[in-house]
Amino acid sequence: MKPRDRFQQLSKQAVNNPSLQIALDNNASRRRKGWEKAYSSLPNPDATRKKAREIRQDVIENLGAYLDQFMGQVITNGILVHWAENASQASQMVVEITQRHAANLVVKSKSMVTEEINLNSALESAGILVVETDLGEYIVQLRGERPTHIISPAVHLRKEDVAETFEKHLNMPYTTDITTMNAAARRKLRDDFLTAKVGISGVNFGVAETGTLCLVTNEGNGRMVTTVPQVHIAVMGAERLVPTLDDLATILQVLPRSATGQKMTSYLNWINKPRQNGDPDGPNERHLVVVDNGRLAQRRTQFSEALACIRCGACLNACPVYQEVGGRTYNSVYPGPIGALVSPALFGIQNHGHLSKASTLCGACKDACPVGIDIPLLLQRTRVQFVDKVSQPQFISLGMRLYAWTASSPARYKRAQKAVFWLMRLLPRKAGWVRWMPLQLSAWTRKRHFPSFARKPFREHWGKTKPVRVVGLSSVEEQEEEMIAPRMPRSSQEDLSGRFEEELHLVGGEFVRIKAEKLAAEVTSHFQNMEVHAVIAWETEMIGSEEIRLHSEAVGIDWLSPTLSNDVSRRIQEVTRIGKVQAGITGAIAAIADTGTLVLTSGVGKSQMASLLPRIHVVVLSSKDIYATMSEWLSIAGKRVMANTSCIAFVTGPSRTADIEMTLTTGVHGPAKVIVFCVE
Amino acid sequence: MTQQTQLFVTCLVDSLFPEVGVAVVEVLTRAGESVRFPRAQTCCGQPAFNSGYQQEARRMAQHTLEVFGATDGPIVLPSGSCAAMLVHGYIELFKEDPFWLPRAKALAARTYEFSQYLVDELNYVETSAFFHGSLAFHPSCHLLRDLGVEKQPISLLEQVRGVQIKPLEAECCGFGGAFSIDHEVVSSEMLSRRLSQVGESESQVVVSCDVSCLLHIEGGLRKRGSKVRCAHLAQILAGKSAGLK
């Protein structure tokens, strides 16, 4: 079947599927509203998007240089780098690394590039079991389907579909209660997280200046797969770079807003190095596979702008065609507007060029795009290539040539107008509108009437001119303000902690203002009220750590500061034991007020598991460590910590997912409760 | 000094809805413009351009550039999508052509969509039109997103006495040229969505600055036997009755 015919078949199925239609409508309305609301929280949204576009354009133009800088830094940091020219090389590299570690189970977080390189098939062919840990990906994997959206893989499913799937594959009674379903997935996946030797992730952005790998997630599975297993393999598209940490902070203002309408996702991971001497945990070995697969060549084409894409999915949410047909209709790893551009470029115009025509060029995608990719223009350019390289139906090609010939001569044009007028007179009509047209044109009249040609076209009406009046012309002045996240002087600490508290509440975290002398008692009493019997704790860089430990041990709470073994099987045992602990307590080197975010670095005495595995995460924060924005923190303090920490986790509230029918549940893989004690 | 305005009436208005062209001329004349109609004009070439038929599009674009290149003064089009074709599409078509590109740029610099011209260039104030009833305004995609024209049509409609305006969400009507045939099923679903929104607005007339959208919308309305009609903005300002025919 020709690809374009398959598209027709699938789109017909899609529009006639009421359940899918409801799911797609929900996605469109929720995501569009979320986008509006999130962007309105920026002081100057247009300027921020413009800056984001400039950053990505700079990267595309200088990709070679930035890649050199980036990979050099990554290697210096101790991460092993592999360059893959194409999809099969990339997946083979991942398979080989996995086999070297004799791993027969890998846990994986969501990554579009791994879909692109068909990684799961390659691993399965090598006898390696792959568990997708992103809830949406997990669900589609159980169903043997491909994801249908860049951000929400299971967007096409209703809760009844998921309930059926879980009943069948997880051996649980049928229930459409979303909280119950999420909990069941969590329990099942947790075992896999804790026992897998290898974790595979994508990379949202690589930072060229520091070699940092940045992951942006909500569920906690991204942190899990990059922290718990002995070996971490990251797979990254070669174009996914930003030049500096400051640039990263700007892009992070638009990515969550565009993707899910959040000011910040629950987690960011800034991964610098593998486990260092003194780190209590973290993977001993980290690998980065950088995938070219046509990206470098695309820079030299008229489609280079599409490389700026940050894979936020906003264009899918804005697209009225996607809303009608859903992702499966595109029959490609990348669906929607960006998919219609990327698929022909990566996978060939023969089988995917037709996607460029599944659009009215309405431009809603361009409006939604945080980096301003002119998708309609690039779609038109793709259509030119499509017409050039793939044979089109005869009647269209002939029709176009006839039309152009007619319209390049006024005399021919006028004669054609008359001819069509008379032909249309033969068609059944009502009040000047035609009810049926022959051949391919009958597709129009299935649901619409078509206006008949006028007996007297406008050019025949044209005759006299009227006397004129002098009218003044006006001039318009335009001003543009160039302002993004202004570098304000540090706000007063009171303002900042108030703002932080507000934002933390908005993301479902709890805030307790406390004086240093009351801290230990208050924390311990919280633990008791929550019936916590054991705690994983930071030993260093946490205010009052000694005192809190003493208070807690005095009431019988076990205080653990585990350092993981380097022996793989012992490590798995240790992790499984730690996995049962109910609470973790950490410090934070900083907090960011405008998103309610906590910044946790790794290092000696600072277990990463403490903020990741338990259901409850308690943080002891000093009020003087609160900064207004991420940019402010970076310029005052943040950049200095980069060299000394293998991994930074940014925690914004409890872990969350909305993968089942867009219903928000907290406490998926990461903690369900985040309590911040803010010490004055 | 009188301002000569060149009317590019567009193929859809010329062949299907000449009364819209007549209304445009009336309003421009009322606004003090001396309207010219270069008779050799045909079609801007957008259908070929959008379909990827570059050569055919260039042929029609060159004809248009020759016809209007021989004129002076602003060029006004009663169509957002055709105006966008001249302002942006021609630049793309001729971006590598040292002969036609400067001509395309010169043309683009003096091309306006009708409502854009009235408000931004003429500061036009509507004093005689009235419309007793409610109308829904459909913001057409190219007008809104390619030309950035959003407030101008609304501000003109607001000056019409007696009118109640219901703005519709900025969503595509589903026409998209060849899309309406190639992807008829999806196009009809998008239209259906739009018609529901029109129904919910409980308005009597749907107004837009693009007859391409309007013919799609009214085509759907008539198929359903609806009494709601469509009108181009110019027809409302010129005090004409609604219904594209």
Side-chain angles (χ1 to χ4, degrees), chain A residues 235-248:
Chain A
V235 186
M236 187 183 101
E239 87 290 10
R240 300 296 292 277
L241 296 181
V242 291
T244 66
L245 290 171
D246 286 324
D247 293 330
L248 181 62

Side-chain angles (χ1 to χ4, degrees), chain A residues 36-340:
Chain A
E36 293 285 347
K37 187 154 179 263
Y39 271 95
S40 67
S41 69
L42 279 174
N44 193 335
D46 288 338
T48 309
R49 291 171 68 186
K50 184 156 175 269
K51 184 95 217 287
R53 177 182 169 78
E54 283 163 6
I55 290 169
R56 291 292 292 155
Q57 293 289 65
D58 174 35
V59 168
I60 299 166
E61 266 156 57
N62 301 297
L63 188 58
Y66 283 126
L67 273 172
D68 284 340
Q69 184 191 19
F70 173 67
M71 292 195 291
Q73 275 300 133
V74 173
I75 291 168
T76 306
N77 291 346
I79 298 179
L80 300 158
V81 177
H82 315 264
W83 175 266
E85 272 174 25
N86 56 47
S88 67
Q89 258 186 37
S91 49
Q92 271 321 298
M93 282 167 181
V94 177
V95 169
E96 274 161 27
I97 299 166
T98 307
Q99 285 172 326
R100 244 184 278 147
H101 290 276
N104 37 35
L105 166 74
V106 303
V107 285
K108 190 172 163 292
S109 65
K110 198 175 87 61
S111 153
M112 292 310 297
V113 72
T114 61
E115 301 277 341
E116 182 186 320
I117 66 176
N118 248 320
L119 178 61
N120 290 10
S121 316
L123 287 165
E124 279 152 18
S125 300
I128 299 164
L129 183 65
V130 185
V131 178
E132 289 283 356
T133 60
D134 171 276
L135 183 62
E137 285 281 353
Y138 181 60
I139 294 167
V140 299
Q141 187 184 42
L142 289 177
R143 293 169 67 91
E145 290 174 7
R146 302 296 292 266
T148 63
H149 190 287
I150 289 173
I151 298 294
S152 319
V155 74
H156 55 294
L157 299 173
R158 310 291 312 283
K159 56 185 191 282
E160 290 78 10
D161 301 313
V162 183
E164 256 172 52
T165 303
F166 278 13
E167 183 191 28
K168 186 166 166 210
H169 293 274
L170 295 185
N171 267 330
M172 60 184 268
Y174 181 94
T175 171
T176 54
D177 178 62
I178 290 173
T179 311
T180 309
M181 287 194 275
N182 282 342
R186 181 179 185 274
R187 274 194 305 273
K188 165 66 181 62
L189 288 169
R190 199 164 169 88
D191 284 333
D192 294 328
F193 280 130
L194 300 184
T195 55
K197 287 184 200 159
V198 174
I200 300 175
S201 77
V203 177
N204 290 79
F205 302 106
V207 182
E209 87 177 332
T210 54
T212 305
L213 311 179
C214 175
L215 267 67
V216 182
T217 61
N218 269 312
E219 294 178 16
N221 64 319
R223 284 187 68 203
M224 294 273 197
V225 308
T226 59
T227 308
V228 178
Q230 186 87 326
V231 179
H232 166 220
I233 308 172
V235 186
M236 187 183 101
E239 87 290 10
R240 300 296 292 277
L241 296 181
V242 291
T244 66
L245 290 171
D246 286 324
D247 293 330
L248 181 62
T250 303
I251 300 280
L252 289 173
Q253 287 189 298
V254 299
L255 175 60
R257 286 180 164 87
S258 306
T260 53
Q262 293 173 284
K263 286 181 221 163
M264 182 51 66
T265 52
S266 300
Y267 303 110
L268 299 177
N269 255 45
W270 290 9
I271 296 170
N272 291 328
K273 304 173 191 186
R275 182 178 184 181
Q276 301 293 288
N277 278 335
D279 282 356
D281 46 35
N284 281 53
E285 214 174 282
R286 292 196 195 266
H287 297 259
L288 174 68
V289 177
V290 184
V291 182
D292 178 1
N293 206 25
R295 288 155 170 77
L296 263 52
Q298 203 178 326
R299 284 176 304 161
R300 315 258 174 261
T301 70
Q302 53 176 349
F303 300 99
S304 61
E305 206 185 330
L307 288 167
C309 177
I310 61 174
R311 302 289 192 259
C312 71
C315 56
L316 276 68
N317 299 330
C319 180
V321 173
Y322 181 89
Q323 188 179 357
E324 295 301 338
V325 303
R328 192 163 158 259
T329 304
Y330 292 80
N331 204 29
S332 169
V333 170
Y334 298 106
I338 192 66

